[in-house]
Amino acid sequence: MVFIIFLSACNTNNQTSKKNNLPITEEENHWDKAYNNTTKERFIPVELFTGAKWDGKHELVLKEVSSSAKACDPITGKRCTTYTITGPYKTKINDTKIEWVGNEIPYYRRTFSTKRGGDVESFFTINNSRDGLVRIYDKRKKWGEKTFNGLGSKFPLGYWKQGEIRVYPSRRPTRIEIIELDGPNHCLTFRWVVGQGKERNQDNIYTFCPDSGFTSFRHNNQSTDSIKQD
């Protein structure tokens, strides 16, 4: 099952690698072309979140995926957690405030487990403003089951600029700030803050990389030895 909500043309031309002057792979070319030097914008596809292969099209597509990514402390490389993403699935009803999607919501299921937090299950879909992935369901030991209205964002999608900040009108206002739009190996690093960002897991910095997905994060409001899950 494939779900597409957004399309913009993107052409691929023959190029050579800046490193060794050899032909680069088609996928490397896709990630190079995701950044527009004229507009200073980068197109962020869903595949950067899932770690799946990207075809280079400037579409927001929920394609079939089954992937695992290991996210670790960016300072020590330790305290790693494995995140598994599968889907897309569909909800039976739309009980969110996502208006574009219709009666059934396509979503990815992400699971992970830690010693401190236990098993965690979350459902992610494209948010109401269609510029990010948002949780619509979350289950964990800390609070049991929760549902969300789809107005926030957990991961940026579509066109973004370096240093850009967007605020979302979820139940507790959510903010995303781009820290490094197109880093080494085309990795993306951004800051996610919910509410006042004063408590654990309310102010985090995430990094996602092509073909890997989620690779590292840290709590921005706590010391690195407290790094764990979200």
mmCIF file of all heavy atoms in Angstrom, residues 196-226:
data_model
loop_
_atom_site.group_PDB
_atom_site.id
_atom_site.type_symbol
_atom_site.label_atom_id
_atom_site.label_comp_id
_atom_site.label_asym_id
_atom_site.label_seq_id
_atom_site.Cartn_x
_atom_site.Cartn_y
_atom_site.Cartn_z
ATOM 1 N N GLN A 196 6.777 23.974 27.570
ATOM 2 C CA GLN A 196 7.885 24.825 27.999
ATOM 3 C C GLN A 196 9.239 24.145 27.854
ATOM 4 O O GLN A 196 10.278 24.780 28.029
ATOM 5 C CB GLN A 196 7.671 25.235 29.462
ATOM 6 C CG GLN A 196 6.419 26.074 29.697
ATOM 7 C CD GLN A 196 6.470 27.385 28.949
ATOM 8 O OE1 GLN A 196 7.470 28.083 28.965
ATOM 9 N NE2 GLN A 196 5.361 27.729 28.287
ATOM 10 N N GLY A 197 9.226 22.847 27.550
ATOM 11 C CA GLY A 197 10.474 22.127 27.341
ATOM 12 C C GLY A 197 11.299 21.931 28.593
ATOM 13 O O GLY A 197 12.508 21.711 28.516
ATOM 14 N N LYS A 198 10.667 21.965 29.766
ATOM 15 C CA LYS A 198 11.419 21.915 31.016
ATOM 16 C C LYS A 198 11.594 20.501 31.569
ATOM 17 O O LYS A 198 12.502 20.250 32.356
ATOM 18 C CB LYS A 198 10.734 22.789 32.069
ATOM 19 C CG LYS A 198 10.733 24.271 31.723
ATOM 20 C CD LYS A 198 10.043 25.099 32.801
ATOM 21 C CE LYS A 198 10.067 26.581 32.467
ATOM 22 N NZ LYS A 198 9.394 27.397 33.515
ATOM 23 N N GLU A 199 10.714 19.592 31.168
ATOM 24 C CA GLU A 199 10.772 18.244 31.714
ATOM 25 C C GLU A 199 11.484 17.293 30.763
ATOM 26 O O GLU A 199 11.750 17.618 29.598
ATOM 27 C CB GLU A 199 9.352 17.735 32.001
ATOM 28 C CG GLU A 199 8.606 18.551 33.036
ATOM 29 C CD GLU A 199 7.223 18.004 33.317
ATOM 30 O OE1 GLU A 199 6.937 16.859 32.900
ATOM 31 O OE2 GLU A 199 6.419 18.716 33.946
ATOM 32 N N ARG A 200 11.786 16.113 31.265
ATOM 33 C CA ARG A 200 12.465 15.096 30.471
ATOM 34 C C ARG A 200 11.659 14.789 29.213
ATOM 35 O O ARG A 200 10.446 14.680 29.227
ATOM 36 C CB ARG A 200 12.635 13.827 31.315
ATOM 37 C CG ARG A 200 13.384 12.702 30.612
ATOM 38 C CD ARG A 200 13.467 11.477 31.512
ATOM 39 N NE ARG A 200 14.151 10.408 30.834
ATOM 40 C CZ ARG A 200 15.471 10.280 30.765
ATOM 41 N NH1 ARG A 200 16.239 11.164 31.369
ATOM 42 N NH2 ARG A 200 16.027 9.276 30.114
ATOM 43 N N ASN A 201 12.374 14.650 28.099
ATOM 44 C CA ASN A 201 11.778 14.345 26.796
ATOM 45 C C ASN A 201 10.877 15.458 26.259
ATOM 46 O O ASN A 201 10.084 15.226 25.347
ATOM 47 C CB ASN A 201 10.990 13.025 26.833
ATOM 48 C CG ASN A 201 11.876 11.816 26.627
ATOM 49 O OD1 ASN A 201 12.901 11.900 25.951
ATOM 50 N ND2 ASN A 201 11.500 10.708 27.216
ATOM 51 N N GLN A 202 11.010 16.670 26.782
ATOM 52 C CA GLN A 202 10.250 17.790 26.251
ATOM 53 C C GLN A 202 11.111 18.753 25.434
ATOM 54 O O GLN A 202 10.580 19.681 24.814
ATOM 55 C CB GLN A 202 9.557 18.558 27.380
ATOM 56 C CG GLN A 202 8.428 17.804 28.033
ATOM 57 C CD GLN A 202 7.640 18.660 29.017
ATOM 58 O OE1 GLN A 202 8.022 19.774 29.346
ATOM 59 N NE2 GLN A 202 6.524 18.129 29.486
ATOM 60 N N ASP A 203 12.414 18.527 25.424
ATOM 61 C CA ASP A 203 13.335 19.371 24.657
ATOM 62 C C ASP A 203 14.487 18.485 24.190
ATOM 63 O O ASP A 203 15.465 18.286 24.911
ATOM 64 C CB ASP A 203 13.841 20.529 25.528
ATOM 65 C CG ASP A 203 14.696 21.519 24.750
ATOM 66 O OD1 ASP A 203 15.040 21.245 23.586
ATOM 67 O OD2 ASP A 203 15.041 22.575 25.322
ATOM 68 N N ASN A 204 14.354 17.940 22.987
ATOM 69 C CA ASN A 204 15.318 16.959 22.487
ATOM 70 C C ASN A 204 15.918 17.395 21.160
ATOM 71 O O ASN A 204 15.290 18.119 20.388
ATOM 72 C CB ASN A 204 14.647 15.595 22.291
ATOM 73 C CG ASN A 204 14.102 15.024 23.583
ATOM 74 O OD1 ASN A 204 14.602 15.309 24.664
ATOM 75 N ND2 ASN A 204 13.063 14.204 23.465
ATOM 76 N N ILE A 205 17.115 16.905 20.886
ATOM 77 C CA ILE A 205 17.782 17.132 19.607
ATOM 78 C C ILE A 205 17.963 15.783 18.918
ATOM 79 O O ILE A 205 18.553 14.861 19.487
ATOM 80 C CB ILE A 205 19.124 17.852 19.790
ATOM 81 C CG1 ILE A 205 18.867 19.278 20.308
ATOM 82 C CG2 ILE A 205 19.890 17.903 18.474
ATOM 83 C CD1 ILE A 205 20.123 20.076 20.569
ATOM 84 N N TYR A 206 17.425 15.673 17.692
ATOM 85 C CA TYR A 206 17.414 14.413 16.946
ATOM 86 C C TYR A 206 18.268 14.516 15.692
ATOM 87 O O TYR A 206 18.324 15.578 15.057
ATOM 88 C CB TYR A 206 15.999 14.049 16.523
ATOM 89 C CG TYR A 206 15.001 13.880 17.639
ATOM 90 C CD1 TYR A 206 14.139 14.918 17.996
ATOM 91 C CD2 TYR A 206 14.890 12.672 18.321
ATOM 92 C CE1 TYR A 206 13.210 14.759 19.007
ATOM 93 C CE2 TYR A 206 13.964 12.509 19.334
ATOM 94 C CZ TYR A 206 13.122 13.548 19.670
ATOM 95 O OH TYR A 206 12.202 13.392 20.677
ATOM 96 N N THR A 207 18.858 13.387 15.293
ATOM 97 C CA THR A 207 19.565 13.298 14.019
ATOM 98 C C THR A 207 19.057 12.089 13.243
ATOM 99 O O THR A 207 18.954 10.987 13.799
ATOM 100 C CB THR A 207 21.087 13.182 14.221
ATOM 101 O OG1 THR A 207 21.579 14.376 14.846
ATOM 102 C CG2 THR A 207 21.805 13.008 12.885
ATOM 103 N N PHE A 208 18.737 12.308 11.968
ATOM 104 C CA PHE A 208 18.300 11.260 11.056
ATOM 105 C C PHE A 208 19.182 11.293 9.813
ATOM 106 O O PHE A 208 19.529 12.378 9.326
ATOM 107 C CB PHE A 208 16.844 11.458 10.644
ATOM 108 C CG PHE A 208 15.840 11.157 11.717
ATOM 109 C CD1 PHE A 208 15.642 12.041 12.766
ATOM 110 C CD2 PHE A 208 15.088 9.989 11.679
ATOM 111 C CE1 PHE A 208 14.706 11.777 13.765
ATOM 112 C CE2 PHE A 208 14.146 9.713 12.661
ATOM 113 C CZ PHE A 208 13.955 10.602 13.717
ATOM 114 N N CYS A 209 19.525 10.108 9.292
ATOM 115 C CA CYS A 209 20.434 10.013 8.147
ATOM 116 C C CYS A 209 19.849 9.122 7.057
ATOM 117 O O CYS A 209 19.137 8.157 7.357
ATOM 118 C CB CYS A 209 21.784 9.453 8.580
ATOM 119 S SG CYS A 209 22.658 10.470 9.801
ATOM 120 N N PRO A 210 20.165 9.418 5.786
ATOM 121 C CA PRO A 210 19.696 8.580 4.685
ATOM 122 C C PRO A 210 20.104 7.121 4.858
ATOM 123 O O PRO A 210 21.222 6.825 5.311
ATOM 124 C CB PRO A 210 20.381 9.200 3.458
ATOM 125 C CG PRO A 210 20.583 10.626 3.824
ATOM 126 C CD PRO A 210 20.902 10.607 5.291
ATOM 127 N N ASP A 211 19.216 6.218 4.507
ATOM 128 C CA ASP A 211 19.429 4.769 4.557
ATOM 129 C C ASP A 211 19.575 4.226 5.971
ATOM 130 O O ASP A 211 19.811 3.034 6.153
ATOM 131 C CB ASP A 211 20.661 4.344 3.734
ATOM 132 C CG ASP A 211 20.534 4.757 2.284
ATOM 133 O OD1 ASP A 211 19.420 4.690 1.741
ATOM 134 O OD2 ASP A 211 21.556 5.152 1.683
ATOM 135 N N SER A 212 19.453 5.075 6.968
ATOM 136 C CA SER A 212 19.561 4.648 8.364
ATOM 137 C C SER A 212 18.347 5.057 9.181
ATOM 138 O O SER A 212 17.894 4.322 10.047
ATOM 139 C CB SER A 212 20.823 5.236 9.011
ATOM 140 O OG SER A 212 21.990 4.783 8.358
ATOM 141 N N GLY A 213 17.838 6.253 8.923
ATOM 142 C CA GLY A 213 16.761 6.780 9.748
ATOM 143 C C GLY A 213 17.312 7.413 11.014
ATOM 144 O O GLY A 213 18.303 8.146 10.994
ATOM 145 N N PHE A 214 16.695 7.102 12.136
ATOM 146 C CA PHE A 214 17.031 7.672 13.440
ATOM 147 C C PHE A 214 18.402 7.164 13.891
ATOM 148 O O PHE A 214 18.600 5.966 14.057
ATOM 149 C CB PHE A 214 15.943 7.249 14.416
ATOM 150 C CG PHE A 214 15.913 7.985 15.725
ATOM 151 C CD1 PHE A 214 16.643 9.130 15.946
ATOM 152 C CD2 PHE A 214 15.105 7.510 16.751
ATOM 153 C CE1 PHE A 214 16.594 9.799 17.155
ATOM 154 C CE2 PHE A 214 15.034 8.166 17.967
ATOM 155 C CZ PHE A 214 15.788 9.313 18.169
ATOM 156 N N THR A 215 19.370 8.074 14.094
ATOM 157 C CA THR A 215 20.718 7.651 14.474
ATOM 158 C C THR A 215 21.172 8.149 15.840
ATOM 159 O O THR A 215 21.971 7.486 16.497
ATOM 160 C CB THR A 215 21.755 8.106 13.426
ATOM 161 O OG1 THR A 215 21.716 9.544 13.325
ATOM 162 C CG2 THR A 215 21.474 7.488 12.071
ATOM 163 N N SER A 216 20.684 9.316 16.283
ATOM 164 C CA SER A 216 21.113 9.795 17.601
ATOM 165 C C SER A 216 20.179 10.885 18.111
ATOM 166 O O SER A 216 19.487 11.535 17.334
ATOM 167 C CB SER A 216 22.547 10.349 17.554
ATOM 168 O OG SER A 216 22.592 11.578 16.859
ATOM 169 N N PHE A 217 20.155 11.031 19.445
ATOM 170 C CA PHE A 217 19.484 12.178 20.036
ATOM 171 C C PHE A 217 19.977 12.396 21.457
ATOM 172 O O PHE A 217 20.566 11.523 22.085
ATOM 173 C CB PHE A 217 17.965 12.019 19.999
ATOM 174 C CG PHE A 217 17.351 11.284 21.157
ATOM 175 C CD1 PHE A 217 16.841 11.972 22.234
ATOM 176 C CD2 PHE A 217 17.284 9.907 21.156
ATOM 177 C CE1 PHE A 217 16.254 11.307 23.301
ATOM 178 C CE2 PHE A 217 16.694 9.226 22.208
ATOM 179 C CZ PHE A 217 16.185 9.920 23.288
ATOM 180 N N ARG A 218 19.732 13.596 21.920
ATOM 181 C CA ARG A 218 20.084 13.935 23.293
ATOM 182 C C ARG A 218 19.042 14.883 23.862
ATOM 183 O O ARG A 218 18.359 15.598 23.126
ATOM 184 C CB ARG A 218 21.472 14.577 23.371
ATOM 185 C CG ARG A 218 21.590 15.914 22.670
ATOM 186 C CD ARG A 218 23.011 16.444 22.754
ATOM 187 N NE ARG A 218 23.209 17.670 22.006
ATOM 188 C CZ ARG A 218 22.970 18.886 22.481
ATOM 189 N NH1 ARG A 218 22.502 19.029 23.709
ATOM 190 N NH2 ARG A 218 23.202 19.950 21.742
ATOM 191 N N HIS A 219 18.914 14.857 25.184
ATOM 192 C CA HIS A 219 18.036 15.795 25.866
ATOM 193 C C HIS A 219 18.742 17.141 25.927
ATOM 194 O O HIS A 219 19.833 17.255 26.482
ATOM 195 C CB HIS A 219 17.727 15.306 27.283
ATOM 196 C CG HIS A 219 16.990 13.997 27.322
ATOM 197 N ND1 HIS A 219 15.767 13.812 26.725
ATOM 198 C CD2 HIS A 219 17.313 12.800 27.872
ATOM 199 C CE1 HIS A 219 15.360 12.573 26.921
ATOM 200 N NE2 HIS A 219 16.280 11.937 27.610
ATOM 201 N N ASN A 220 18.125 18.160 25.391
ATOM 202 C CA ASN A 220 18.747 19.476 25.365
ATOM 203 C C ASN A 220 18.730 20.147 26.731
ATOM 204 O O ASN A 220 19.514 21.049 26.990
ATOM 205 C CB ASN A 220 18.032 20.378 24.353
ATOM 206 C CG ASN A 220 18.836 21.601 23.983
ATOM 207 O OD1 ASN A 220 20.001 21.500 23.606
ATOM 208 N ND2 ASN A 220 18.225 22.763 24.092
ATOM 209 N N ASN A 221 17.857 19.695 27.629
ATOM 210 C CA ASN A 221 17.731 20.335 28.943
ATOM 211 C C ASN A 221 18.280 19.471 30.072
ATOM 212 O O ASN A 221 18.040 19.746 31.238
ATOM 213 C CB ASN A 221 16.272 20.684 29.230
ATOM 214 C CG ASN A 221 15.367 19.459 29.185
ATOM 215 O OD1 ASN A 221 15.829 18.339 28.965
ATOM 216 N ND2 ASN A 221 14.071 19.667 29.393
ATOM 217 N N GLN A 222 19.027 18.389 29.715
ATOM 218 C CA GLN A 222 19.627 17.546 30.736
ATOM 219 C C GLN A 222 21.029 17.146 30.311
ATOM 220 O O GLN A 222 21.400 17.253 29.144
ATOM 221 C CB GLN A 222 18.778 16.290 30.974
ATOM 222 C CG GLN A 222 17.400 16.597 31.538
ATOM 223 C CD GLN A 222 16.638 15.324 31.857
ATOM 224 O OE1 GLN A 222 17.234 14.295 32.137
ATOM 225 N NE2 GLN A 222 15.322 15.403 31.829
ATOM 226 N N SER A 223 21.800 16.628 31.236
ATOM 227 C CA SER A 223 23.156 16.200 30.936
ATOM 228 C C SER A 223 23.121 14.966 30.049
ATOM 229 O O SER A 223 22.160 14.229 30.016
ATOM 230 C CB SER A 223 23.920 15.880 32.235
ATOM 231 O OG SER A 223 23.287 14.840 32.931
ATOM 232 N N THR A 224 24.229 14.722 29.326
ATOM 233 C CA THR A 224 24.268 13.613 28.371
ATOM 234 C C THR A 224 24.165 12.264 29.043
ATOM 235 O O THR A 224 23.810 11.281 28.390
ATOM 236 C CB THR A 224 25.568 13.664 27.561
ATOM 237 O OG1 THR A 224 26.693 13.638 28.458
ATOM 238 C CG2 THR A 224 25.632 14.913 26.709
ATOM 239 N N ASP A 225 24.455 12.148 30.334
ATOM 240 C CA ASP A 225 24.371 10.840 30.966
ATOM 241 C C ASP A 225 22.917 10.433 31.233
ATOM 242 O O ASP A 225 22.659 9.320 31.694
ATOM 243 C CB ASP A 225 25.171 10.799 32.277
ATOM 244 C CG ASP A 225 24.651 11.794 33.322
ATOM 245 O OD1 ASP A 225 23.640 12.476 33.060
ATOM 246 O OD2 ASP A 225 25.277 11.872 34.402
ATOM 247 N N SER A 226 21.970 11.317 30.917
ATOM 248 C CA SER A 226 20.556 10.977 31.118
ATOM 249 C C SER A 226 19.873 10.632 29.808
ATOM 250 O O SER A 226 18.671 10.457 29.763
ATOM 251 C CB SER A 226 19.811 12.157 31.755
ATOM 252 O OG SER A 226 19.752 13.246 30.868
#
